[in-house]
Amino acid sequence: MAVSACVALVACACGPDKAKEDDAGAKPSQSSASTRAAEPTATPSASARTEKPSAEPTGDQPAPRTKEGAIKRYELYLHALGREDINTVCDVAGPAAKKAQDQGLGPCTSTYTAVFRMISPAQKNALKTATVDPRRVVVRTPDKVDMPVAAVRSSATFSESDLGSYTLEYLKNDWYITD
């Protein structure tokens, strides 16, 4: 239950533009956490690879403004959450995380570091390969899609109190968690 609350609150704290500012301010603690959690060189390069796809669509190649595009972006977020990839998590959850920060929670990078500690190893592992059942996704408007927790398919079961449900909106040529 605490994880869901933190994830929901964190998801409200750093916007797509704010995530870049937070990254600069959080590099020292992020580096030490990354060094402790993942010493193999494969992990940093994997994080680097996941950052680029999430950043590229906001430039010259817009992400598809479709239900499938929203699902792909949300799956990117779930996988990043499981890998503790703070840069990707804060990019995708940026607008919602900014709202939480404005309500006093702190920057996305520091808040999600706490969230990572609340997710069990089994849940993190399950999130790394989680998928979304498109039949359970609700398209409210062409620019707004709801991702209920029931749509998440993984080897672990997640509830509203574990993971929660999210709304993604199409902003700046990509999908972002806004609520």
Side-chain angles (χ1 to χ4, degrees):
M1 192 143 108
V3 172
S4 179
C6 270
V7 170
L9 293 173
V10 168
C12 297
C14 75
D17 297 330
K18 181 68 176 168
K20 289 174 184 61
E21 293 171 22
D22 288 345
D23 289 346
K27 290 269 188 220
S29 63
Q30 178 189 350
S31 295
S32 61
S34 296
T35 304
R36 275 182 282 134
E39 290 181 10
T41 56
T43 301
S45 63
S47 288
R49 281 193 303 267
T50 59
E51 284 181 60
K52 290 198 188 311
S54 64
E56 286 175 2
T58 61
D60 295 333
Q61 301 173 347
R65 187 184 242 163
T66 62
K67 177 177 166 178
E68 293 75 21
I71 290 170
K72 182 177 178 182
R73 182 80 159 160
Y74 186 59
E75 287 176 346
L76 177 73
Y77 165 81
L78 294 173
H79 300 168
L81 194 59
R83 285 189 322 274
E84 297 187 17
D85 177 353
I86 194 77
N87 293 327
T88 301
V89 166
C90 285
D91 178 39
V92 177
K98 176 69 174 121
K99 289 177 190 175
Q101 182 176 355
D102 291 347
Q103 294 172 357
L105 267 181
C108 182
T109 52
S110 62
T111 309
Y112 262 105
T113 300
V115 169
F116 292 152
R117 284 184 249 133
M118 292 192 218
I119 302 171
S120 75
Q123 288 175 318
K124 286 179 191 171
N125 196 39
L127 286 169
K128 292 176 188 176
T129 58
T131 60
V132 174
D133 180 352
R135 295 170 296 180
R136 294 187 175 245
V137 173
V138 178
V139 178
R140 295 196 317 189
T141 70
D143 294 336
K144 192 177 276 193
V145 176
D146 290 334
M147 299 287 177
V149 71
V152 176
R153 298 286 179 240
S154 73
S155 59
T157 302
F158 291 96
S159 67
E160 281 295 329
S161 61
D162 294 330
L163 185 61
S165 297
Y166 294 96
T167 299
L168 275 74
E169 290 187 58
Y170 195 82
L171 309 165
K172 298 182 182 179
N173 296 324
D174 211 341
W175 292 96
Y176 293 93
I177 295 173
T178 58
D179 194 24

